[in-house]
Amino acid sequence: PSAVVFNLQITGQPSVLYYASQIFERAGFAGGQEAAGVSVLLGSFKLVMTLVAVATVDKLGRRPLLLGGVGGMVVALLLLTAAQGGVDAAAGAAGVADVGGAARLSAAALLLYVGCYQVRLLVTHGL
């Protein structure tokens, strides 16, 4: 049980969500009205992933969902790290290259991270 609690604490989800607005802003969403839309998108996505976890936990079992959630979070964080490096490198270039691809990858990686976190969270807390 203490390993599960430790796992919950080290995920860093609040830190990732703290930078979510900046990640989506880099992906082409402007502030203000679109920022509110992004918040609704994240909330809706978390709800969908909660429903996915509830619908599949009996069929797949807790362990596969837990391991899949953690694995997905690791992949998402690696993608997010690589994509943010691409955005920073492109933005810092003399000719300011198109940062759209890396920024969109960042947004997709953020959604993957949040979705996997939701699945893992619900499985570890015992639906």
Side-chain angles (χ1 to χ4, degrees):
S2 62
V4 171
V5 173
F6 179 73
N7 185 327
L8 287 172
Q9 295 301 317
I10 66 165
T11 60
Q13 200 230 10
S15 298
V16 171
L17 291 180
Y18 177 79
Y19 291 103
S21 61
Q22 292 175 10
I23 291 169
F24 281 115
E25 190 175 309
R26 284 182 171 188
F29 294 98
Q33 192 71 11
E34 288 187 8
V38 168
S39 295
V40 170
L41 173 70
L42 271 175
S44 300
F45 188 68
K46 287 174 86 170
L47 175 64
V48 167
M49 293 311 294
T50 299
L51 296 174
V52 167
V54 168
T56 59
V57 70
D58 288 334
K59 183 183 202 181
L60 300 176
R62 291 181 188 279
R63 182 174 169 83
L65 287 178
L66 174 64
L67 295 176
V70 170
M73 288 170 59
V74 168
V75 168
L77 288 175
L78 291 172
L79 288 172
L80 189 57
T81 301
Q84 286 297 301
V87 168
D88 291 339
V96 183
D98 177 31
V99 298
R104 284 188 292 277
L105 178 60
S106 293
L110 177 71
L111 289 174
L112 175 65
Y113 178 83
V114 168
C116 290
Y117 178 86
Q118 283 302 112
V119 168
R120 186 201 51 85
L121 176 70
L122 292 169
V123 170
T124 56
H125 275 58
L127 303 168

